[in-house]
Amino acid sequence: MKYKRIFLIILDSLGIGETKDSEEYGDSGSNTLKNIIDNTNIKIPHLEKMGLLNLIGKSNIKTNSYYAKAHPLSNGKDTLTGHLELMGVITENPLKTFPNGFPNDLIKELEEKTKRGVIGNITASGTEIINELGDEHVKTGNIIVYTSADSVLQIAAHENIVPLDELYNICQIARDLTLNEDWKVGRVIARPFKGEKGDYSRTENRKDFALDPPSATTLDILKNNNLSVIAVGKINDIFNGQGITEHYKTKNNLDGIETIKNLTKKDFTGLLFANLNDFDSIYGHRRDVEGYGRALEEFDAHLPKIMHLMTSEDLLIITADHGNDPTHIGTDHTREMIPVLIYNKKLKKPSKIDDLIFQDVGDIIKDNFGVSKRSLLYKETT
């Protein structure tokens, strides 16, 4: 074991350029990071020092980290697919999507089992649909069901009309129903909101109900070898709790960052796996270029403190799970490569390394803890 603790931080949706098959997904020209840099005046000197901007041709400075591009092999560009691939599970058959809404049979069963009517059942932006249907929901108590280009069934409800416990139970019912192969989606997501007519907004009480991973992941392997797997943010939901030894729910990026800082003080041997979701959910999907840029600056400002709190026995890996270019058409994820930035206080010769694939991230982690015989890259990070 080279490092006692590994801190893996997902900057959710921070893609760094189109893949060879981006055109097949309608994502030609997408480059989340480069297009944000080109359209804002943001400064992210600490991420730049790690090599992030070198990866998109916006800098060529000497770095303090190993840095690389990673290519996806899975079919799909959603959160679940990206995270599973990072942890060693390739998705060959894309998860089902329902661009024209969900089948009537599913909606009918959902209404019967929840005792609530359904409105919506369309592909929509989550922020737009609550303002479009919020008044009707408040008046009738009918739940708002919608989807996106991803494999998700989302259920929105006002916290004063449908209490959180009931909303979560409704989503569990929907999750059970969508285990049916004809309706199987990757995630059912509770989307509670608050506010008054004309001013509805989503709360921080989102909850994801994901499919169980189809096979053992890096997390399972670590846990089965008596190593800690600490989940921060929505990681526990994404993996349905499998392979997790403890988890911490967070409200937003800043809460996630502070949680990471606090957990650097915890004595453990294993992996801390964190997802900072605001980049994707608040800025990427809403095509808010300036907001995305400010969120990157916020993380960058806290990065030196995170590094300072780490010891020479800690390894920091910063990466992403897919793209969500806020300058691209539509409101959905973009098929992109992701950055992999690898830092330790005592790296011998930090520099660019050869291109990776997503699952190499999990392999580096397994190799470090001696639970894998595959040593693709570990020698390069020591």
Side-chain angles (χ1 to χ4, degrees), residues 5-40:
R5 307 186 300 181
I6 295 180
F7 292 77
L8 174 61
I9 302 176
I10 306 295
L11 306 186
D12 199 307
S13 82
L14 190 66
I16 56 168
E18 62 183 88
T19 61
K20 292 179 180 178
D21 60 357
S22 287
E23 186 176 357
E24 297 174 19
Y25 291 80
D27 294 328
S28 294
S30 59
N31 189 322
T32 300
L33 178 61
K34 181 178 183 297
N35 288 331
I36 290 169
I37 298 294
D38 287 345
N39 287 278
T40 65

Side-chain angles (χ1 to χ4, degrees), residues 198-341:
D199 188 30
Y200 296 119
S201 61
R202 297 198 294 205
T203 72
E204 296 164 338
N205 294 315
R206 163 185 173 158
K207 184 174 175 62
D208 292 36
F209 298 76
L211 292 172
D212 287 340
S215 59
T217 69
T218 296
L219 308 185
D220 295 304
I221 294 169
L222 296 178
K223 182 179 178 181
N224 291 341
N225 280 273
N226 299 314
L227 294 161
S228 294
V229 181
I230 301 171
V232 176
K234 67 178 185 178
I235 295 298
N236 189 65
D237 286 350
I238 290 170
F239 290 90
N240 232 13
Q242 291 194 189
I244 309 294
T245 59
E246 59 185 282
H247 61 93
Y248 298 83
K249 184 178 176 63
T250 58
K251 297 178 180 178
N252 49 42
N253 274 7
L254 187 57
D255 188 24
I257 292 166
E258 293 302 323
T259 301
I260 293 167
K261 289 181 186 176
N262 290 334
L263 287 170
T264 61
K265 304 168 188 174
K266 181 180 178 67
D267 183 21
F268 68 92
T269 301
L271 174 68
L272 181 146
F273 192 0
N275 177 290
L276 302 180
N277 187 52
D278 290 359
F279 300 111
D280 184 54
S281 63
I282 296 180
Y283 306 113
H285 285 300
R286 299 182 192 179
R287 296 305 189 241
D288 183 351
V289 181
E290 292 289 340
Y292 204 130
R294 289 193 301 271
L296 283 172
E297 286 187 320
E298 177 184 67
F299 175 74
D300 189 80
H302 288 273
L303 186 53
K305 181 65 173 177
I306 293 172
M307 290 176 161
H308 175 73
L309 290 168
M310 291 180 173
T311 74
S312 59
E313 292 186 289
D314 297 332
L315 189 71
L316 172 63
I317 304 175
I318 296 175
T319 185
D321 54 341
H322 52 69
N324 200 345
D325 188 340
T327 70
H328 198 59
I329 57 173
T331 60
D332 298 309
H333 296 158
T334 43
R335 176 77 165 180
E336 296 185 48
M337 296 177 289
I338 58 171
V340 179
L341 313 176

Side-chain angles (χ1 to χ4, degrees), residues 92-110:
E92 295 182 358
N93 297 315
L95 296 167
K96 289 184 181 294
T97 58
F98 295 87
N100 298 315
F102 298 99
N104 290 333
D105 288 349
L106 170 57
I107 297 300
K108 182 179 179 181
E109 282 205 45
L110 184 62

